[in-house]
Amino acid sequence: MRTTSLPVTSFPISSTPPPMNSSGHYEHKNNTTPSISSSLWMSCFTMILGTVSNFTALGILFHSRARFRRQSKAIFLQLTVTLLLVDLGSHLILGAFAMYGHIGDTTKDDSFCNIFGAFMVFFGLCPLLLGCAMAVERCVAITQPFFHVAMITVTHVRGVVLLLFSLAFVMAYLPFLKVGTYTTQFPSTWCFLPIHNTTSVANKNLVLGFSCLGLSALTISLFCNILSGVTLLQARVRSSKGYTKTTAPCARRASSASSSSVFFSLDVEMMMQLAVITVVSCVCWGPFLIHSLVVQLNESSRDSDDLKGRFTLLTLRMASWNQILDPWVYILLRRTVLLRVCCGFPTHKPTMTADCSSADNRGNSFLLH
């Protein structure tokens, strides 16, 4: 097999499927040069777009690092930077594999196909697992802030990241240990675990493991984000009700920009980014993961190999958008951008009295752990 991270247009669809050989590989045709040439240019474009987007998002996070000085915020920053670096690596590495695959009939080379498939599996699982880790970390930070500050450190998070990378690496490396295989996929331009016509129990279990692991990560991310969002909303409501009388004089003196700045706190900003990332991952990755799972559980499908291959290719192309859209979440969903879009004016620090600032700090103390 970021499966996700291969450029969107790197898999051309020919008018007729290439024939299968005795080993189950799609044979490459030499009469598809125009399609391959067009796809090659589009692969270059999407790889450049994804690379520039990730570098831009990393630059934005670098300039915003002062806002993440607290330990709890630094952990989220560490996970975010890791996710963007993985996305960047997937664009560069898998994009290079895709373009190299267009140059010649390289998919017949078993070594090339095995390495290509291993990177597809690795860069497919890593973003999903990292997104899950980010959702769990934010959920703990918001629902159990004192436990988060006392027990969870940057060192612990680095260990978790290493564990997740190791899990993805083991899954990708199993075919090299003769547990399953990587095969050329329709239309003979990419390699992955055999999704269709699987006769080996090991191959079937690997595809099931990949799909179940990815869907589990998405499910946990959704649950944690919903819980975090509800907790933040409840805290806002309690804070508003509990300090209405105390902050009433301040509210009259504070500008509307001040209120907006309070609403778009760092916690809310991080939650919005994480929620959108989760939605993007579900929309992009869900079809491919569900399709792979259903195919393994429903072997009685009577659809033609052409139709199966085309649908799998379509779901893969949807999944490949995940790494392109991830950095734009951090580019667009920043506090300054949100304030200008939603409120129609640039952000500025509110002017308040000492008593007013003290009251606001007490009212938002829950969210600042």
PDB file of all heavy atoms in Angstrom, residues 344-359:
ATOM      1  N   GLY A 344     -15.351  40.358  11.419  1.00  0.00           N
ATOM      2  CA  GLY A 344     -15.179  41.444  10.484  1.00  0.00           C
ATOM      3  C   GLY A 344     -14.176  42.489  10.883  1.00  0.00           C
ATOM      4  O   GLY A 344     -14.184  43.605  10.360  1.00  0.00           O
ATOM      5  N   PHE A 345     -13.283  42.157  11.851  1.00  0.00           N
ATOM      6  CA  PHE A 345     -12.259  43.119  12.238  1.00  0.00           C
ATOM      7  C   PHE A 345     -11.056  42.370  12.772  1.00  0.00           C
ATOM      8  O   PHE A 345     -11.170  41.242  13.224  1.00  0.00           O
ATOM      9  CB  PHE A 345     -12.765  44.093  13.314  1.00  0.00           C
ATOM     10  CG  PHE A 345     -13.546  43.429  14.400  1.00  0.00           C
ATOM     11  CD1 PHE A 345     -12.911  42.650  15.365  1.00  0.00           C
ATOM     12  CD2 PHE A 345     -14.916  43.570  14.454  1.00  0.00           C
ATOM     13  CE1 PHE A 345     -13.639  42.033  16.355  1.00  0.00           C
ATOM     14  CE2 PHE A 345     -15.646  42.949  15.456  1.00  0.00           C
ATOM     15  CZ  PHE A 345     -15.021  42.188  16.405  1.00  0.00           C
ATOM     16  N   PRO A 346      -9.873  43.005  12.730  1.00  0.00           N
ATOM     17  CA  PRO A 346      -8.667  42.344  13.218  1.00  0.00           C
ATOM     18  C   PRO A 346      -8.690  42.210  14.722  1.00  0.00           C
ATOM     19  O   PRO A 346      -9.390  42.938  15.421  1.00  0.00           O
ATOM     20  CB  PRO A 346      -7.535  43.276  12.761  1.00  0.00           C
ATOM     21  CG  PRO A 346      -8.187  44.612  12.622  1.00  0.00           C
ATOM     22  CD  PRO A 346      -9.595  44.349  12.179  1.00  0.00           C
ATOM     23  N   THR A 347      -7.910  41.241  15.194  1.00  0.00           N
ATOM     24  CA  THR A 347      -7.839  41.011  16.627  1.00  0.00           C
ATOM     25  C   THR A 347      -6.976  42.057  17.287  1.00  0.00           C
ATOM     26  O   THR A 347      -6.051  42.594  16.700  1.00  0.00           O
ATOM     27  CB  THR A 347      -7.230  39.631  16.912  1.00  0.00           C
ATOM     28  OG1 THR A 347      -5.919  39.615  16.370  1.00  0.00           O
ATOM     29  CG2 THR A 347      -8.044  38.537  16.302  1.00  0.00           C
ATOM     30  N   HIS A 348      -7.308  42.372  18.553  1.00  0.00           N
ATOM     31  CA  HIS A 348      -6.464  43.211  19.370  1.00  0.00           C
ATOM     32  C   HIS A 348      -6.744  42.904  20.808  1.00  0.00           C
ATOM     33  O   HIS A 348      -7.810  42.392  21.152  1.00  0.00           O
ATOM     34  CB  HIS A 348      -6.695  44.693  19.073  1.00  0.00           C
ATOM     35  CG  HIS A 348      -8.117  45.134  19.326  1.00  0.00           C
ATOM     36  ND1 HIS A 348      -9.090  45.051  18.354  1.00  0.00           N
ATOM     37  CD2 HIS A 348      -8.701  45.636  20.436  1.00  0.00           C
ATOM     38  CE1 HIS A 348     -10.247  45.505  18.847  1.00  0.00           C
ATOM     39  NE2 HIS A 348     -10.040  45.853  20.113  1.00  0.00           N
ATOM     40  N   LYS A 349      -5.816  43.184  21.613  1.00  0.00           N
ATOM     41  CA  LYS A 349      -5.951  42.843  23.018  1.00  0.00           C
ATOM     42  C   LYS A 349      -6.962  43.762  23.681  1.00  0.00           C
ATOM     43  O   LYS A 349      -6.966  44.963  23.473  1.00  0.00           O
ATOM     44  CB  LYS A 349      -4.593  42.975  23.727  1.00  0.00           C
ATOM     45  CG  LYS A 349      -3.584  41.955  23.253  1.00  0.00           C
ATOM     46  CD  LYS A 349      -2.298  42.093  24.026  1.00  0.00           C
ATOM     47  CE  LYS A 349      -1.299  41.052  23.553  1.00  0.00           C
ATOM     48  NZ  LYS A 349      -0.021  41.150  24.281  1.00  0.00           N
ATOM     49  N   PRO A 350      -7.866  43.214  24.511  1.00  0.00           N
ATOM     50  CA  PRO A 350      -8.879  44.016  25.159  1.00  0.00           C
ATOM     51  C   PRO A 350      -8.271  44.901  26.234  1.00  0.00           C
ATOM     52  O   PRO A 350      -7.265  44.575  26.846  1.00  0.00           O
ATOM     53  CB  PRO A 350      -9.819  42.961  25.770  1.00  0.00           C
ATOM     54  CG  PRO A 350      -8.968  41.760  25.963  1.00  0.00           C
ATOM     55  CD  PRO A 350      -7.979  41.778  24.845  1.00  0.00           C
ATOM     56  N   THR A 351      -8.925  46.064  26.436  1.00  0.00           N
ATOM     57  CA  THR A 351      -8.505  46.990  27.474  1.00  0.00           C
ATOM     58  C   THR A 351      -9.446  46.853  28.644  1.00  0.00           C
ATOM     59  O   THR A 351     -10.629  47.180  28.542  1.00  0.00           O
ATOM     60  CB  THR A 351      -8.528  48.429  26.950  1.00  0.00           C
ATOM     61  OG1 THR A 351      -7.695  48.504  25.806  1.00  0.00           O
ATOM     62  CG2 THR A 351      -8.055  49.395  28.029  1.00  0.00           C
ATOM     63  N   MET A 352      -8.946  46.355  29.756  1.00  0.00           N
ATOM     64  CA  MET A 352      -9.775  46.097  30.915  1.00  0.00           C
ATOM     65  C   MET A 352      -9.079  46.591  32.157  1.00  0.00           C
ATOM     66  O   MET A 352      -7.866  46.761  32.189  1.00  0.00           O
ATOM     67  CB  MET A 352     -10.085  44.599  31.060  1.00  0.00           C
ATOM     68  CG  MET A 352     -10.924  44.009  29.949  1.00  0.00           C
ATOM     69  SD  MET A 352     -11.319  42.294  30.296  1.00  0.00           S
ATOM     70  CE  MET A 352     -12.264  41.898  28.835  1.00  0.00           C
ATOM     71  N   THR A 353      -9.867  46.766  33.208  1.00  0.00           N
ATOM     72  CA  THR A 353      -9.299  47.103  34.495  1.00  0.00           C
ATOM     73  C   THR A 353      -8.730  45.872  35.146  1.00  0.00           C
ATOM     74  O   THR A 353      -8.968  44.752  34.713  1.00  0.00           O
ATOM     75  CB  THR A 353     -10.396  47.702  35.393  1.00  0.00           C
ATOM     76  OG1 THR A 353     -11.375  46.702  35.608  1.00  0.00           O
ATOM     77  CG2 THR A 353     -11.038  48.926  34.746  1.00  0.00           C
ATOM     78  N   ALA A 354      -7.984  46.079  36.206  1.00  0.00           N
ATOM     79  CA  ALA A 354      -7.373  44.951  36.905  1.00  0.00           C
ATOM     80  C   ALA A 354      -8.431  44.035  37.470  1.00  0.00           C
ATOM     81  O   ALA A 354      -8.312  42.814  37.422  1.00  0.00           O
ATOM     82  CB  ALA A 354      -6.462  45.464  38.020  1.00  0.00           C
ATOM     83  N   ASP A 355      -9.515  44.628  38.031  1.00  0.00           N
ATOM     84  CA  ASP A 355     -10.570  43.791  38.597  1.00  0.00           C
ATOM     85  C   ASP A 355     -11.256  42.979  37.524  1.00  0.00           C
ATOM     86  O   ASP A 355     -11.593  41.822  37.715  1.00  0.00           O
ATOM     87  CB  ASP A 355     -11.601  44.677  39.306  1.00  0.00           C
ATOM     88  CG  ASP A 355     -11.027  45.352  40.541  1.00  0.00           C
ATOM     89  OD1 ASP A 355     -10.014  44.832  41.048  1.00  0.00           O
ATOM     90  OD2 ASP A 355     -11.588  46.384  40.972  1.00  0.00           O
ATOM     91  N   CYS A 356     -11.460  43.594  36.358  1.00  0.00           N
ATOM     92  CA  CYS A 356     -12.115  42.873  35.267  1.00  0.00           C
ATOM     93  C   CYS A 356     -11.259  41.719  34.797  1.00  0.00           C
ATOM     94  O   CYS A 356     -11.754  40.619  34.576  1.00  0.00           O
ATOM     95  CB  CYS A 356     -12.373  43.836  34.109  1.00  0.00           C
ATOM     96  SG  CYS A 356     -13.109  43.084  32.667  1.00  0.00           S
ATOM     97  N   SER A 357      -9.952  41.947  34.615  1.00  0.00           N
ATOM     98  CA  SER A 357      -9.063  40.876  34.176  1.00  0.00           C
ATOM     99  C   SER A 357      -9.037  39.754  35.184  1.00  0.00           C
ATOM    100  O   SER A 357      -9.010  38.578  34.830  1.00  0.00           O
ATOM    101  CB  SER A 357      -7.648  41.437  33.978  1.00  0.00           C
ATOM    102  OG  SER A 357      -7.669  42.447  32.993  1.00  0.00           O
ATOM    103  N   SER A 358      -9.052  40.096  36.461  1.00  0.00           N
ATOM    104  CA  SER A 358      -9.042  39.071  37.495  1.00  0.00           C
ATOM    105  C   SER A 358     -10.287  38.230  37.439  1.00  0.00           C
ATOM    106  O   SER A 358     -10.239  37.006  37.567  1.00  0.00           O
ATOM    107  CB  SER A 358      -8.910  39.730  38.872  1.00  0.00           C
ATOM    108  OG  SER A 358      -8.984  38.768  39.893  1.00  0.00           O
ATOM    109  N   ALA A 359     -11.425  38.878  37.219  1.00  0.00           N
ATOM    110  CA  ALA A 359     -12.675  38.123  37.134  1.00  0.00           C
ATOM    111  C   ALA A 359     -12.686  37.209  35.931  1.00  0.00           C
ATOM    112  O   ALA A 359     -13.130  36.060  36.004  1.00  0.00           O
ATOM    113  CB  ALA A 359     -13.861  39.096  37.058  1.00  0.00           C
TER     114      ALA A 359
END
